[in-house]
Amino acid sequence: MRRHRPRSSDPHHPRRPRWRRDAPAPRAAPDGAARLSAGAAILYGWHTVKAALENPARRIRHLYATANAARRLAEDGVALPVQPDVVRPDAIARRLGPDAVHNGLLAEADALPSPELEQIEPAGLVLVLDQITDPHNVGAILRTAAAFGVKAVVITARHSPDATGVLAKSASGALEYVPIVTVQNLARALATLRERGYYLVGLDSTGERDLREASLRAPLALVLGAEGKGLRQLTRASCDEVARLELPGRMKTLNVSNAAALALYVASERAN
Amino acid sequence: MRRHRPRSSDPHHPRRPRWRRDAPAPRAAPDGAARLSAGAAILYGWHTVKAALENPARRIRHLYATANAARRLAEDGVALPVQPDVVRPDAIARRLGPDAVHNGLLAEADALPSPELEQIEPAGLVLVLDQITDPHNVGAILRTAAAFGVKAVVITARHSPDATGVLAKSASGALEYVPIVTVQNLARALATLRERGYYLVGLDSTGERDLREASLRAPLALVLGAEGKGLRQLTRASCDEVARLELPGRMKTLNVSNAAALALYVASERAN
């Protein structure tokens, strides 16, 4: 397989390191994110990279694949937007750290554009995350949001993880399916959603009534806070109501991605 | 606070390193597990350690706490089974690695005993995990299982993570609430459950019908496989039926702990 190498004058490919084929990639910070310019994403793992390759809106800057992974992509009929660099598995592992399950695929890509709230059709469900910082959790939430056909996930510009690395891996391709709307001010975003017809339901263990008894109607925005901290006061005050998930057992709180999954299930049964 | 140090002849405290108070703990493998003898657990984080301290069945070998955490425990009225070693936060951080959120608490404890299947009252729900290896996921599943009042979680002795470290932290105290039954042979365990009256429902994306339409009746065993691999063939054949979670969106699979949460929700609405 021939290497496809953009000219060095290409403004989209500034200072990409010139790895030799089958040579180890230079060691980077875990997740590989530290060496990237703003607006770039590191994507690894079979589902994550395959979904990105199949997304016409995703610009792939560079693709590293093991011979096996490249063959699997060809067998699956995935058209490659760039010629891959065929590398050994340990070259990818060295780039990502020993714990990353990369399945022989690593892509450097442009981050996807973040749409404006006004571009989201006011229908169905949107999910709003109030400063949830853990990339595993945000990735799992995006994946579940895509499974429930959520129209968009709204996150804050500050105190949210970037859509790259561990988050992208945990999302398992969902980055390509669910628009992420990044906002500077969450209270203002919630006001915009209300103006556009959304009913705003915050989730919090101190909520007044069980989510199943809340007034769930589309278009609906479900608002989730970080574990421990919960919803910030202004976020809470901006919701039409705050509901809790009634749990029958001894443990009264859930991992936030598990809570999001249950909330989406309950809401999609009622508000779609 | 005075240090409580068991005599060196105490067979339960073999060769514990003699950290000086406020001195850095010796560096260990991430998770701190490598230095432990079999049958021991490293517990860290506020909820995880507090629940362990409050569990009379959990034998705490040693407790390391920051001055702040020790004060918070006292304020919460938590009776300490051992005198804590008061240490600086970085001493705990060095032991656990930089990413562990320890909240100033680290306990070395005995692992909890694993009951036999025959000791679990045949009622309500049990969860069976077929070689789910990721400790974050198994921890989150245990936490959600405790939130739904699951009677026991059955895991395989091989290809399951130990109930320590990251798993315990993700479980957020649930290790103290849900019995974990460790079995050598999962197919045999499923046969035992059936003999004891359980209805066995496997979850798999290739399942014949939606879980909401499955014959859910207590006592019910929900059987989950690992992401990607799913249920092993013998596990699948051992179930009374295999159901899927119908997902309305483009993504057709979920993170396994999110899938477990939805399955427990659906089942507990129907089979409790």
Side-chain angles (χ1 to χ4, degrees):
Chain A
M1 222 168 276
R2 219 174 53 77
R3 272 209 287 187
H4 170 92
R5 170 88 73 194
R7 266 166 300 246
S8 62
S9 61
D10 185 337
H12 294 291
H13 294 77
R15 299 198 303 162
R16 183 148 29 69
R18 297 190 160 254
W19 302 355
R20 281 180 303 115
R21 191 182 317 194
D22 287 0
R27 177 179 283 280
D31 231 7
R35 296 169 52 253
L36 284 177
S37 54
I42 283 283
L43 307 172
Y44 61 90
W46 177 257
H47 296 289
T48 301
V49 174
K50 180 165 179 273
L53 293 171
E54 291 175 334
N55 180 6
R58 173 76 87 170
R59 187 171 170 286
I60 304 291
R61 297 180 183 182
H62 211 86
L63 175 64
Y64 302 93
T66 60
N68 273 342
R71 185 164 47 240
R72 272 186 77 195
L73 287 173
E75 284 166 7
D76 273 26
V78 179
L80 302 185
V82 296
Q83 280 290 337
D85 248 349
V86 177
V87 295
R88 292 160 54 106
D90 57 345
I92 298 176
R94 261 189 293 272
R95 175 89 183 266
L96 298 172
D99 295 331
V101 180
H102 54 72
N103 312 120
L105 288 176
L106 168 66
E108 294 171 6
D110 285 4
L112 289 168
S114 170
E116 300 292 323
L117 267 187
E118 288 75 6
Q119 294 173 264
I120 307 298
E121 177 206 2
L125 278 168
V126 305
L127 204 54
V128 180
L129 308 184
D130 186 12
Q131 302 196 338
I132 301 179
T133 54
D134 181 86
H136 290 97
N137 279 335
V138 175
I141 289 172
L142 286 165
R143 181 174 174 184
T144 299
F148 280 100
V150 159
K151 306 292 184 202
V153 175
V154 181
I155 64 171
T156 54
R158 284 164 53 95
H159 305 290
S160 295
D162 288 330
T164 184
V166 164
L167 184 155
K169 168 69 175 160
S170 299
S172 197
L175 281 182
E176 319 302 323
Y177 305 151
V178 188
I180 298 179
V181 179
T182 305
V183 300
Q184 296 295 329
N185 183 311
L186 199 65
R188 205 177 305 142
L190 292 173
T192 301
L193 285 169
R194 183 183 289 109
E195 281 162 25
R196 290 174 63 74
Y198 284 86
Y199 189 71
L200 311 180
V201 177
L203 261 202
D204 198 289
S205 57
T206 62
E208 298 120 32
R209 51 179 173 168
D210 185 45
L211 184 65
R212 284 165 292 188
E213 284 141 30
S215 312
L216 304 177
R217 57 126 179 106
L220 180 71
L222 280 174
V223 189
L224 278 88
E227 276 182 53
K229 288 193 211 168
L231 299 174
R232 285 179 296 166
Q233 181 149 14
L234 187 55
T235 307
R236 199 184 165 102
S238 302
C239 290
D240 289 306
E241 68 176 291
V242 177
R244 63 181 190 279
L245 283 167
E246 192 72 46
L247 297 165
R250 191 161 161 196
M251 180 75 73
K252 292 303 176 193
T253 66
L254 296 172
N255 165 283
V256 66
S257 79
N258 282 216
L262 292 180
L264 285 173
Y265 179 83
V266 171
S268 72
E269 295 268 285
R270 301 268 303 280
N272 257 339
Chain B
M1 221 171 275
R2 219 173 53 76
R3 271 209 288 188
H4 169 93
R5 170 88 73 194
R7 266 166 300 246
S8 62
S9 61
D10 184 337
H12 294 291
H13 295 78
R15 299 197 302 163
R16 182 149 30 70
R18 299 191 159 253
W19 302 356
R20 281 180 302 116
R21 191 184 317 194
D22 286 0
R27 178 178 284 279
D31 231 7
R35 297 168 54 253
L36 285 176
S37 54
I42 283 283
L43 308 172
Y44 61 90
W46 176 257
H47 297 290
T48 301
V49 173
K50 181 166 180 272
L53 293 171
E54 291 176 333
N55 180 7
R58 173 74 87 170
R59 187 171 170 285
I60 305 292
R61 298 180 184 183
H62 210 85
L63 176 64
Y64 302 93
T66 59
N68 273 343
R71 186 166 45 240
R72 270 185 78 195
L73 287 173
E75 282 165 8
D76 272 25
V78 179
L80 303 185
V82 296
Q83 279 289 338
D85 249 349
V86 177
V87 295
R88 290 159 55 106
D90 57 345
I92 298 177
R94 261 190 293 272
R95 176 92 182 265
L96 297 171
D99 294 332
V101 180
H102 54 73
N103 312 119
L105 289 176
L106 168 65
E108 294 171 7
D110 285 3
L112 289 167
S114 170
E116 300 292 322
L117 266 187
E118 288 74 6
Q119 295 172 262
I120 307 298
E121 177 205 3
L125 280 167
V126 304
L127 204 53
V128 180
L129 308 184
D130 187 13
Q131 301 194 341
I132 300 179
T133 54
D134 181 86
H136 290 97
N137 280 334
V138 175
I141 289 171
L142 285 165
R143 182 174 173 182
T144 300
F148 280 100
V150 159
K151 306 293 186 201
V153 175
V154 181
I155 64 171
T156 54
R158 284 164 53 95
H159 304 291
S160 295
D162 288 329
T164 184
V166 163
L167 184 154
K169 168 69 176 160
S170 300
S172 197
L175 281 181
E176 319 302 325
Y177 304 152
V178 188
I180 298 178
V181 179
T182 305
V183 300
Q184 297 295 328
N185 183 312
L186 198 66
R188 205 177 305 142
L190 292 173
T192 302
L193 285 169
R194 185 184 288 106
E195 282 162 24
R196 291 176 61 74
Y198 285 86
Y199 189 71
L200 311 180
V201 176
L203 261 203
D204 199 287
S205 57
T206 64
E208 298 120 32
R209 50 179 173 168
D210 184 45
L211 184 64
R212 283 164 293 188
E213 283 141 31
S215 312
L216 303 176
R217 59 128 179 103
L220 179 71
L222 280 175
V223 189
L224 278 89
E227 275 182 54
K229 287 193 209 166
L231 299 173
R232 287 178 294 166
Q233 181 150 14
L234 187 55
T235 305
R236 199 185 164 99
S238 303
C239 289
D240 290 306
E241 67 177 291
V242 177
R244 65 181 188 280
L245 283 168
E246 192 72 46
L247 297 165
R250 191 160 163 196
M251 180 73 73
K252 291 302 177 194
T253 65
L254 296 172
N255 165 282
V256 67
S257 78
N258 282 216
L262 292 180
L264 285 173
Y265 179 83
V266 172
S268 71
E269 295 267 285
R270 301 267 303 279
N272 255 339

